[in-house]
Structure formats: C-alpha cells, structure tokens
Amino acid sequence: MTKDENGLNITGEELVALAGSVAICLTKKLTPREVCLMRTFFQAIATNLSTIEFTDSICKQRK
C-alpha cells in the first residue's frame, strides 16, 4: 500500500513501527494483568473495525 492509498500518509512499515512503539510505551509501567486487559480491549476494537470494513465493502458491491 502506498502512502497515497491509505489516507494516513504512512506506509505499512511505518505503521507497524509506530504500533510497536506505542505498545512499548503503554505497557512500560503496567502489570501483566493490565497488559492482558489492554490486549483484549484493542483486539475487540480491531475485530469491530474489521467487521465494519467488511460490511462496508459488501454494501458498496451491492449498490
């Protein structure tokens, strides 16, 4: 994906590096239990975004 295609003006590699950096920063002072809770929370967000994206793509195909 190029920078122009994704609307974020960021490449996939840059996005992965950013995600890793944010994860490290967020978890530096958390307990293992808190890290687990954050993982579950962010997984739920990712799942819901995937569902919305998939539904949107189906709706666009039917129009």
Side-chain angles (χ1 to χ4, degrees):
M1 188 176 288
T2 66
K3 287 186 176 189
D4 294 334
E5 290 175 356
N6 65 15
L8 295 174
N9 200 25
I10 190 170
T11 65
E13 295 85 359
E14 292 168 334
L15 191 58
V16 169
L18 178 62
S21 297
V22 169
I24 290 168
C25 289
L26 287 175
T27 60
K28 250 185 171 177
K29 294 185 179 182
L30 299 177
T31 66
R33 173 75 177 137
E34 291 169 328
V35 172
C36 182
L37 290 171
M38 287 187 71
R39 175 183 48 86
T40 303
F41 174 73
F42 287 117
Q43 283 178 330
I45 290 173
T47 300
N48 288 316
L49 288 174
S50 296
T51 301
I52 291 167
E53 179 184 25
F54 180 73
T55 303
D56 187 50
S57 68
I58 288 176
C59 290
K60 286 181 181 177
Q61 290 175 358
R62 291 185 181 174
K63 288 184 180 179

